[in-house]
Amino acid sequence: MIQPVLKDEDFLADVRAANQDNDDLRLWWLGQSGFLVQFQRKHLLLDPYLSDSLTKKYAATDKSHVRMTERVVDPARLDFIDVVTSSHNHTDHLDAETLDPLLKINPRLQMIVAAANRDFVATRLRVDPSFPIGLPDGASAAVVPFRFTAVPAAHEELTPETVGFVVECGPWSIYHSGDTMLYGGMAELGRAIAAIRH
Ligand SMILES: [Zn+2]
């Protein structure tokens, strides 16, 4: 299993120390497809999976789902998160055991999902369906200072339930692909993302 460079208290201390008033972008890989993004003292989580819920779910089967990376931090300790994304409904991208504690300790947390997944997300997290901000492909929404645009993802097929997100903040753009294979039009997508900036 991949060991994090920093975890628990050391990881949190690193995030706190980095939290400065400037336009630097800081990004921590949280294992699996999860990232923490810090910009202008605001914090975004992309597809966090900070539990062992899949290991437990598949323990009695012949399809083991052990984490690739050791957990970086208990989600109940992330009390500074402004917005979280979920690229699709697979548990390692939409994990109630991660998101429930995050919602509890971040009462103002906002969430960005594919428009097609809003009801599924609301059911899994036991929240009102109006809570997740649902984006169809090509649509954008802002949670200042971040602006999110949903882009297609082919998780094997291109479907409305699988997306990636382009996140713009200040001079920066991040492409979080979600789970996707290469697909026809991806190169044009890259050019379109570049065009957003210029
Ligand atoms: Zn997946």
Side-chain angles (χ1 to χ4, degrees):
M1 197 180 289
I2 298 170
Q3 299 295 315
V5 176
L6 297 171
K7 62 179 195 172
D8 302 322
E9 200 50 57
D10 292 338
F11 164 75
L12 291 167
D14 195 52
V15 174
R16 277 194 293 269
N19 197 15
Q20 307 291 333
D21 279 323
N22 56 43
D23 282 344
D24 291 349
L25 179 80
R26 286 167 287 272
L27 185 132
W28 291 261
W29 181 41
L30 302 182
Q32 316 299 119
S33 296
F35 293 86
L36 171 68
V37 180
Q38 182 185 68
F39 181 70
Q40 292 182 346
R41 294 187 177 274
K42 299 291 184 185
H43 294 87
L44 155 66
L45 284 173
L46 298 162
D47 282 15
Y49 175 61
L50 296 168
S51 82
D52 282 317
S53 57
L54 279 172
T55 307
K56 285 183 264 175
K57 181 177 172 186
Y58 288 98
T61 75
D62 56 4
K63 305 194 286 178
S64 74
H65 277 64
V66 176
R67 296 180 61 90
M68 186 172 76
T69 47
E70 193 174 278
R71 190 174 77 163
V72 169
V73 68
D74 179 349
R77 302 209 55 200
L78 299 177
D79 60 358
F80 49 85
I81 305 301
D82 300 285
V83 55
V84 62
T85 65
S86 168
S87 63
H88 62 289
N89 294 338
H90 288 161
T91 301
D92 45 346
H93 302 259
L94 177 70
D95 177 33
E97 288 192 23
T98 299
L99 293 162
D100 288 350
L102 280 174
L103 285 164
K104 200 165 160 198
I105 55 163
N106 296 284
R108 297 163 65 90
L109 185 68
Q110 296 195 66
M111 184 169 195
I112 309 281
V113 305
N117 297 341
R118 282 180 84 193
D119 288 347
F120 185 99
V121 170
T123 301
R124 181 171 287 179
L125 302 182
R126 300 177 307 282
V127 296
D128 193 275
S130 66
F131 165 69
I133 300 169
L135 296 180
D137 281 351
S140 299
V143 177
V144 177
F146 304 105
R147 180 176 175 81
F148 300 85
T149 301
V151 297
H155 191 358
E156 324 292 322
E157 305 291 326
L158 287 163
T159 72
E161 290 81 17
T162 57
V163 297
F165 292 108
V166 174
V167 184
E168 300 163 80
C169 47
W172 308 98
S173 295
I174 300 164
Y175 170 41
H176 188 257
S177 67
D179 282 353
T180 188
M181 302 167 67
L182 293 174
Y183 57 84
M186 208 177 211
E188 287 73 19
L189 173 68
R191 281 190 278 276
I193 293 166
I196 291 172
R197 306 302 324 164
H198 298 292

